[in-house]
Amino acid sequence: TLPNLPEVPGMNTTQYLKSSLHRISNTALRHTCHQIATDTSQKIRQRILEPLRQSQDAPGLETAIAAWIAYLALGQSEFGGRWQVSDPIQAIAAEIAKSVSGNVLEFAKAITKQDQIFGEDFARDGAFADRIGARTAQLLSGQQAMLIAAYPG
C-alpha cells in the first residue's frame, strides 16, 4: 500500500498508514462500512471529486466513486436490494434502477450524469461516465482484484 500513496508535502505517509491501520483494527470503534457509505452524495464533492479534478488521472478515486455507485445499486430491488440505502440521492437512484432494468453499466452512467453531485463538467463527460460504469460493473462482477491490480505503481 505505501508505495501507492502519493507524496504529499508536510505529510508523513508511513505514519499516516500506521495510524490508519491502527484505527481500522480498533474494535472499540463502532463505525461500520454502511455508516461510512451513508450520505456519500453529500461528501463525494470535496473528498473525491475535487482531488480528481486536480489529478485527472486517479484510478483509485474513480474506483471509490464506482464503489459508492455499487453501494447505491445493491440497495435497489432491481439489483437484489441487499440493504436500505441511506443517501439523499436514494429516490433518484431508485428511479434510475427501474428505468435501466437492472443494467449496472447504464445505472452507473446515469448516476454520473447527476450534476447536483458531479457538477456540470463530470456530468457531461461521456468518457468519465464510461470509465465509472466499467469500474462499477467490475466491482459487482467479482473482478475487484483485477481492477486494483491495474493501478499504476
Side-chain angles (χ1 to χ4, degrees):
T1 301
L2 192 56
N4 295 316
L5 287 176
E7 289 296 322
V8 177
M11 179 181 171
N12 181 330
T13 53
T14 302
Q15 185 57 41
Y16 174 78
L17 181 60
K18 264 177 131 172
S19 174
S20 296
L21 292 174
H22 177 72
R23 179 172 165 73
I24 289 168
S25 67
N26 185 348
T27 58
L29 294 176
R30 302 282 183 221
H31 205 64
T32 65
C33 289
H34 193 260
Q35 286 174 303
I36 293 167
T38 298
D39 297 334
T40 299
S41 66
Q42 304 302 298
K43 305 170 192 171
I44 197 170
R45 282 180 230 120
Q46 74 261 16
R47 295 184 183 167
I48 299 174
L49 296 175
E50 286 310 314
L52 185 57
R53 282 183 178 93
Q54 294 170 14
S55 171
Q56 297 298 321
D57 182 29
L61 293 175
E62 290 186 352
T63 301
I65 295 166
W68 169 63
I69 293 173
Y71 160 80
L72 290 176
L74 293 176
Q76 312 309 314
S77 59
E78 292 77 7
F79 296 100
R82 296 184 190 175
W83 44 66
Q84 183 175 353
V85 171
S86 179
D87 195 293
I89 197 175
Q90 167 50 23
I92 293 169
E95 287 297 317
I96 291 170
K98 287 177 189 161
S99 73
V100 300
S101 305
N103 181 321
V104 71
L105 184 62
E106 293 305 315
F107 178 81
K109 289 165 76 172
I111 293 291
T112 66
K113 292 185 183 338
Q114 303 305 307
D115 62 355
Q116 73 274 27
I117 296 168
F118 290 93
E120 288 185 24
D121 56 342
F122 284 131
R124 293 188 176 148
D125 185 340
F128 172 76
D130 289 343
R131 288 192 310 275
I132 300 301
R135 288 179 188 283
T136 305
Q138 281 184 292
L139 288 172
L140 293 179
S141 67
Q143 298 178 31
Q144 298 90 342
M146 284 178 46
L147 185 61
I148 293 168
Y151 290 178

